[in-house]
Amino acid sequence: MALKIIASQCTVCGACEFECPNGAIRMKGDIYIVDPKKCTECDGQFDEPQCAAVCPVPNTCVKAAPAA
Ligand code: SF4
Ligand code: SF4
């Protein structure tokens, strides 16, 4: 599982990019995206997803729905 960034709410502040311990967040064009192959949900590394913890916009870094 991974987190995702709700692009319509993201202010592109960049805070999450530098907090991700796995380098899973990067810019693509003019938005930030989470690489689901790299995102571990910070499991085993931090108590909570660091991107969500530092994001100034509530509910913008959220758990991605499982693939149907
Ligand atoms: S949950 Fe953790 S590993 Fe996943 S994108 Fe956010 S900071 Fe990176
Ligand atoms: S911390 Fe939140 S608002 Fe800032 S770039 Fe990341 S997802 Fe967007």
Side-chain angles (χ1 to χ4, degrees), residues 2-3 16 19-25 34 38-42 45 49-52:
L3 269 71
C16 55
E19 295 302 324
C20 179
N22 300 311
I25 300 173
V34 176
K38 291 184 179 176
C39 176
T40 61
E41 297 191 357
C42 291
Q45 295 168 297
Q50 293 298 287
C51 51

Side-chain angles (χ1 to χ4, degrees), residues 5 10-16 32 55-57 60-61:
I5 293 169
C10 173
T11 62
V12 197
C13 72
C16 55
Y32 275 99
C55 182
V57 188
T60 296
C61 296

